[in-house]
């Protein structure tokens, strides 16, 4: 089969690879229906994370079950499944506590920009749909496997409540999905921080009531202006840089909460500053599996349409173009069709 | 009148000072019934915080209203009142949100180891009792003005829930009060980290089910052993050093929460480490005023007895001995009687 392989910063190639096989009794192999490029794939692509030897890429997927290991229950070939970028047995203490992305047997998916994918911990990771959904719903379901689940987690970790004010830092796919989540969780006011017109538009379509184009401390000052000088109840940090994190922390009101879901790069938090702010902070890799049944239902019913974050569709063999378009911010997120 | 003045590290004197007066219409002056030395007073006493010019000390107090400013409602001379170390108008957006210790008009109390004290924002800060309580209850009510309120906040910020497991880092007065709070909030298992026999005993009397004497990563390893390898739901950090904070963060389970109430000194948190831990973090100066009515009722009814943290009673003029005894860890907390 064929799939994407990163060789060096800026160098993603579409190559012939070994066909994935069931290696452990708990594995499944799926044929990808659609897959995509993630904002976090840009960290190594831009040289901000070491690459080491050339290796496959991709952790977002929906697809059809091809084969299951002998210990996999509840799945059978032909089913349409949605998974998570982090696999989980869904039975360990962390899974039972709702943190499947910290499963004791967790493996991160990393080979999904390909025609076929091996999924470890298949029974606890994959959610099978009753029937194959209409193709128009595949992008939304694919978004659930990472960016929509991560946006939901940002809103959950930031304790968005009905009637509250939420600020979303970051206008990538996760930030845009975080707007959806804030709206679904009842935020009355949703302030999207974005300076790109097409992303501002999508944020508004998803439920943002205000858009702030300023960044850094200027952005914080605007948030304060919009919130009676106090700051927001909830801030959803969807970038992961030192600047975006500071901006998020400074935008929250005393007693407010920051949910941070962009993998932190070069971020440290000063204990005394956090102390005197009274701001709560929680983040991490999203426990997508916890939210999947609910998010799938919201997509199937048409209540939410996170698939709109895909503004570029390419055949899988042109995956390198997807990286390039996202790196240059010409595309929010690239959908790949095998 | 007379009160404590710090001149230099290790040098606290009892001196004649100007009598406090109503300076603003919102002030009250109270005659202290009892006051005390706080663990946080030891930061400057030990030279860990700059002192500058000699200045009065003390921020914990209960007493009798002597005089009120023209704008003070609901208080009259002779009433017995309990306050908070942080004053608050109790009407600003932060107060209404339950974070009175971040009141827009907050002033920190700092002259309470004295015979008389000026209290700014008196109407929003002081809670008057219906009658003068029995003297045996004064220490418990005094504890409410800081250490018991702070212990409660630690448990609240660490999201202690009925049936949960709580770890308390720090066996000072705040840590011991945090044990009381964890028990009152329904924690099933309360693990106190302490290596001092008398404090271990008091922790057990307050509701600790386990005591761990090890510190640092050895302490973390013991917590993991006691929690099935996973960590605790809630960790109450009541010290404020880099080591104690690391110990707290590492003792929490994925998805667990750390409440940090010891003023951080030299603490920084690595963003990526916090991210992958899934641990939530919230702290700050305790919003004592929010809890006061409830805590006063618990003390008056005899349900809790945080006054037991005072294991040394001195006349106010021997305040310097109180500092010394606490600095040398011969006393948990020194009660001062004017």
């Amino acid at each position: 089969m064929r799939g994407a392989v990163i060789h060096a910063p800026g160098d993603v190639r579409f190559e012939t690879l070994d066909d994935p096989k069931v290696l452990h009794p708990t594995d499944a192999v799926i044929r990808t229906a659609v897959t995509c490029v993630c904002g976090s794939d840009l960290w190594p692509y831009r040289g901000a994370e070491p690459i080491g030897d050339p290796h496959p890429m991709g952790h977002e997927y929906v697809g059809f079950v091809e084969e299951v290991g002998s210990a996999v229950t509840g799945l059978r070939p032909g089913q349409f499944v949605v998974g998570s970028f982090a696999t989980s047995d869904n039975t360990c203490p962390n899974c039972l506590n709702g943190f499947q992305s910290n499963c004791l047997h967790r493996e991160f998916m990393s080979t999904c920009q390909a025609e076929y994918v091996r999924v470890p911990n298949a029974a606890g990771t994959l959610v099978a749909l009753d029937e194959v959904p209409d193709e128009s719903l595949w992008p939304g379901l694919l978004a659930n496997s990472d960016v929509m689940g991560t946006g939901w987690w940002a809103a959950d970790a930031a304790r968005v409540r009905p009637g509250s004010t939420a600020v979303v830092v970051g206008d990538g796919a996760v930030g845009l999905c975080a707007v959806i989540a804030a709206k679904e969780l009842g935020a009355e006011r949703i302030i999207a921080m974005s300076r790109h017109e097409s992303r501002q538009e999508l944020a508004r379509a998803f439920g943002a009531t205000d858009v702030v184009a300023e960044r850094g401390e200027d952005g914080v000052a605007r948030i304060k202006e919009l919130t009676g000088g106090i700051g927001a109840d909830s801030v959803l940090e969807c970038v992961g840089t030192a600047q975006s994190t500071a901006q998020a922390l400074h935008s929250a009101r005393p007693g407010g909460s920051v949910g941070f879901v962009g993998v932190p790069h070069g971020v440290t938090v000063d204990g005394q500053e956090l102390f005197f702010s009274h701001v709560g902070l929680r983040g991490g890799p999203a426990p997508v599996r916890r939210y999947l049944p609910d998010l799938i239902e919201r997509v199937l019913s048409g209540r939410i349409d996170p698939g709109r974050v895909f503004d570029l569709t390419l055949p899988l063999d042109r995956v390198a173009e997807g990286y390039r378009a996202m790196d240059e911010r010409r595309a929010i997120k690239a959908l790949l069709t095998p």
Side-chain angles (χ1 to χ4, degrees), chain A residues 20-32 58-69 71-72 75 81-89 105-112 116-127 289 292:
Chain A
K21 289 190 167 40
V22 166
L23 299 180
H24 305 288
T26 47
D27 289 347
V29 171
I30 66 167
R31 174 168 59 85
T32 47
H59 52 264
E60 298 160 290
Y61 58 103
V62 292
F64 298 89
V65 177
E66 277 286 304
E67 191 189 348
V68 298
V72 176
L75 294 173
V81 289
V82 185
S84 160
F85 66 89
T87 71
S88 53
D89 61 21
H105 296 108
R106 175 187 68 190
E107 294 182 42
F108 284 112
M109 297 297 289
S110 61
T111 64
C112 298
Y116 294 87
V117 181
R118 182 178 71 87
V119 182
N121 299 306
T125 301
L126 300 173
V127 177
R289 181 61 184 80
L292 267 188

Side-chain angles (χ1 to χ4, degrees), chain A residues 108-153:
Chain A
F108 284 112
M109 297 297 289
S110 61
T111 64
C112 298
Q113 288 157 5
E115 292 166 335
Y116 294 87
V117 181
R118 182 178 71 87
V119 182
N121 299 306
T125 301
L126 300 173
V127 177
L129 274 58
D130 293 335
E131 51 191 44
V132 176
D134 188 82
E135 278 195 40
S136 65
L137 297 170
W138 292 7
L141 295 166
L142 173 64
N144 285 350
S145 76
D146 183 350
V147 290
M148 185 61 234
T150 298
W152 198 274
W153 163 234

